[in-house]
Amino acid sequence: MRRSGLLLVVACAATLFFRLGSFPLLDDPNEGQYAEVAREMVESGEWLSPQLDYVLFLNKPPLTYWLLGASYRLFGVSELAARVPSAACALLIVLLVVWLGNLLFDPATGVRAGLILATTAGFFVESHLVRPDLELCLGITASFVALAYVFREGGRPRTLVLVALQSALAFGLLAKGMVALLVPALVALPLLVFSRRWSLARELLRPRAWWWFAVLVVPWHLVMSLRHSGFAWDYIVNQHLLFFFDKKEPRDSLPIPLWAFWAAFAGRMFPWTFFLPLAVRNAWRARRDFGNRLALLWASAVLLFFSIATARLEHYSIPALPALALLLAALMRDTTTTIERRLAAAHAIALLGAAAVSAFLAPLPLSIVLPVTITLAGGFAVAVLAPRQVGVAVAVGVSLLLAELWMVNGLAWYAPQNSSRATAQAVASESADAVLVFEAPIEYQNVAPLLFYLRRRIAILRPPRFIAPDYLVPHQSELFVSPEVLEHWWQTRDVLFLADPLMPRASMDAVVPGPYEVVWHNDDRWVLKSKRGSLPDDQSAPGRGK
């Protein structure tokens, strides 16, 4: 088991960190937002109040920015450094799942669970993206490791376990917000009811027992509330409560329908999606077992919570993946009868058929998709034949990890089509004295990738019907320009207008004043240049180079 665990760690580390910096920041998801805010932190030395385009930006908690800033200090500002925290969090989550599988089931199940999680497509892709969801997942997973010890121990939990629980919850909250508390609470409450351990409930609900959590969480929130008027209401009510019901202002994200959320979840669980019904059925039959009960409640809490939420996005299912990896590993442990083996084999055949079809339908070159399909076929063929042999499971897991190396080639092939780096290069080749103006029809944060590559301020055309959060109201003039100001600049200054790549247009005639020259155009990306005037001595324009 130790050799298997060591092989798992080495294989996961090699895979998760493979070619992290080999492709540019993606526009969707908005990797540039987190990468650029952290870059401006390092540049300005202001580590408490995050900024975007050198203007206050308090939409998200600070932990992800701090981790990115530390990575920049160690490795320099680059795509590689921006993605290191995500890959590191992914590796830690795999290790915690192995640990938790050992606690809840047995060592072999723990290793299998780590392998399953590491070879889940959505988890692997997330490890190569810049956003706080893996930090949130790490905090939630660590909190369940601590809760497992809390429920294992009789009587009052040890102080060390409570400190670990509070540290994990604080980590998740500072990474993504209140959902880091809600998910463990939605699981712990029914566990307490089922176990009837009312003394433990009183211990966990005792306010003075949470002093360490307060030490970690309160200072930043208090400083921001005192420093920036309107922060508390926006952060607590607007960004959490109103966001849950898709009533947040400004409405800077477009939620997806329920069917799309579940379809995205099924895709993220690939290639293990086909075995999920068996795993849930197996866990439900053994629900009196504490491990199955905890993992079932954990996955249900995440998926049902975001199914209810009106403002759901496709990646919100990520914190459920470790729980489902545990259930799938328990299924492999419990698949012993001939009927169960045949049922698992039928699922594997269905999976391989779907993989073969996707090899021809996927929007990627066959040279990338075909090796992934062949590797998956071999791995699952062995897994069905010997589901209880840990050594074979490790070999299968390694083959799946090799398939993921080919997935990185797919990301590198796809990324240039979904990145602003080429746009930034086109802008950089023009006059350094030109005023830069970015179109922001919905979400002004989309300017972030351009900021990351250009390293200069960009004026933003104010989004229509934009309602600024209270903390941003005093700073709007530093960030936005009106259409009237843009028209004036167009006649008197050298202006480069950058279109939002997430709002495709066949023509820009109705967007900018005329006349203009097309400096660069690629798919949905436009760089336009005003054809009149030159930059006067007035250097006060927000879009001037900094």
Side-chain angles (χ1 to χ4, degrees):
M1 286 309 307
R2 290 179 179 175
R3 287 194 298 271
S4 300
L6 180 61
L7 179 59
L8 170 64
V9 172
V10 173
C12 285
T15 307
L16 293 171
F17 287 89
F18 178 66
R19 297 188 66 188
L20 277 181
S22 62
F23 51 95
L25 297 179
L26 303 180
D27 290 331
D28 186 20
N30 194 355
E31 291 191 282
Q33 174 182 318
Y34 303 98
E36 172 61 14
V37 172
R39 189 196 68 79
E40 291 184 22
M41 270 188 174
V42 174
E43 179 184 302
S44 65
E46 173 54 76
W47 289 77
L48 285 178
S49 300
Q51 297 181 16
L52 179 63
D53 204 4
Y54 304 94
V55 177
L56 195 62
F57 183 75
L58 301 177
N59 290 26
K60 303 293 182 184
L63 182 61
T64 299
Y65 306 138
W66 292 341
L67 294 176
L68 288 167
S71 181
Y72 291 158
R73 285 288 181 87
L74 288 173
F75 306 111
V77 178
S78 65
E79 293 93 342
L80 170 64
R83 295 188 176 112
V84 163
S86 293
C89 286
L91 182 59
L92 289 174
I93 294 168
V94 170
L95 295 177
L96 286 174
V97 166
V98 173
W99 186 358
L100 192 54
N102 184 28
L103 279 174
L104 299 178
F105 301 105
D106 55 65
T109 304
V111 172
R112 287 194 190 101
L115 276 169
I116 291 169
L117 180 62
T119 54
T120 299
F123 184 80
F124 173 76
V125 170
E126 201 66 30
S127 71
H128 283 65
L129 299 179
V130 187
R131 58 181 172 188
D133 294 271
L134 281 182
E135 283 88 342
L136 169 66
C137 187
L138 175 59
I140 290 176
T141 305
S143 70
F144 282 117
V145 174
L147 281 173
Y149 278 102
V150 167
F151 281 92
R152 260 184 63 172
E153 297 174 351
R156 183 176 179 180
R158 288 177 296 165
T159 302
L160 180 61
V161 173
L162 289 177
V163 168
L165 173 62
Q166 294 173 47
S167 299
L169 293 174
F171 186 93
L173 186 144
L174 288 172
K176 195 68 185 282
M178 297 297 292
V179 68
L181 301 181
L182 287 173
V183 171
L186 291 173
V187 175
L189 184 60
L191 287 178
L192 289 169
V193 173
F194 292 145
S195 64
R196 298 182 180 181
R197 294 180 61 182
W198 311 122
S199 61
L200 177 58
R202 287 192 295 270
E203 184 67 27
L204 291 176
L205 295 174
R206 190 161 52 97
R208 63 182 179 180
W210 290 84
W211 64 271
W212 178 240
F213 178 80
V215 167
L216 295 175
V217 168
V218 169
W220 182 80
H221 292 85
L222 181 61
V223 170
M224 291 299 98
S225 299
L226 295 175
R227 197 187 259 193
H228 307 294
S229 175
F231 164 78
W233 187 91
D234 179 73
Y235 184 81
I236 297 172
V237 179
N238 196 33
Q239 299 290 344
H240 286 88
L241 181 61
L242 296 181
F243 177 78
F244 182 84
F245 297 103
D246 195 27
K247 300 294 184 182
K248 187 187 80 163
E249 293 291 351
R251 193 171 184 265
D252 53 10
S253 61
L254 299 177
I256 62 174
L258 184 60
W259 68 265
F261 172 77
W262 281 91
F265 160 70
R268 284 187 172 275
M269 281 301 302
F270 186 84
W272 302 98
T273 317
F274 286 78
F275 297 92
L276 282 179
L278 286 178
V280 173
R281 171 180 171 271
N282 180 70
W284 181 256
R285 291 170 60 185
R287 61 188 179 275
R288 292 185 179 276
D289 174 73
F290 178 76
N292 283 294
R293 180 178 293 175
L294 185 146
L296 267 177
L297 288 171
W298 176 357
S300 301
V302 174
L303 295 174
L304 294 179
F305 178 80
F306 288 114
S307 294
I308 296 170
T310 311
R312 71 186 76 85
L313 297 175
E314 59 86 16
H315 59 282
Y316 285 1
S317 62
I318 291 171
L321 301 187
L324 294 168
L326 290 166
L327 294 180
L328 287 161
L331 171 69
M332 294 179 68
R333 179 197 63 176
D334 299 336
T335 302
T336 55
T337 67
T338 303
I339 293 177
E340 289 171 334
R341 285 174 179 266
R342 288 178 179 175
L343 191 57
H347 280 70
I349 292 170
L351 164 68
L352 297 179
V357 171
S358 68
F360 298 95
L361 297 181
L364 290 171
L366 194 61
S367 60
I368 293 175
V369 178
L370 196 57
V372 175
T373 305
I374 293 173
T375 311
L376 287 176
F380 273 93
V382 178
V384 171
L385 293 174
R388 298 197 68 191
Q389 296 180 22
V390 176
V392 173
V394 171
V396 170
V398 171
S399 71
L400 297 179
L401 292 172
L402 290 174
E404 290 180 340
L405 299 184
W406 285 98
M407 289 175 61
V408 178
N409 294 333
L411 283 171
W413 174 85
Y414 165 72
Q417 307 171 49
N418 185 28
S419 173
S420 291
R421 183 168 67 179
T423 307
Q425 291 170 346
V427 171
S429 65
E430 292 294 314
S431 171
D433 291 328
V435 175
L436 304 183
V437 180
F438 177 77
E439 176 199 21
I442 298 177
E443 187 175 6
Y444 80 87
Q445 295 96 309
N446 290 343
V447 73
L450 290 166
L451 292 165
F452 182 85
Y453 288 113
L454 290 172
R455 312 288 169 88
R456 56 181 290 190
R457 293 189 65 180
I458 300 175
I460 299 173
L461 187 63
R462 186 183 180 90
R465 299 179 297 279
F466 178 79
I467 301 175
D470 290 347
Y471 74 81
L472 187 60
V473 169
H475 307 281
Q476 292 186 86
S477 61
E478 305 170 44
L479 191 63
F480 299 117
V481 296
S482 66
E484 293 76 18
V485 171
L486 173 61
E487 185 170 2
H488 173 70
W489 286 356
W490 206 264
Q491 305 303 326
T492 60
R493 306 184 181 194
D494 289 335
V495 179
L496 289 177
F497 186 87
L498 317 174
D500 188 335
L502 302 184
M503 292 292 292
R505 285 187 174 92
S507 172
M508 298 295 291
D509 290 345
V511 181
V512 298
Y516 63 83
E517 172 189 348
V518 177
V519 173
W520 189 79
H521 173 49
N522 182 15
D523 296 326
D524 302 325
R525 304 167 198 278
W526 296 82
V527 179
L528 309 179
K529 183 178 182 180
S530 61
K531 294 184 69 173
R532 293 185 184 181
S534 59
L535 190 69
D537 294 334
D538 177 16
Q539 306 294 314
S540 61
R544 284 282 304 165
K546 175 166 179 171

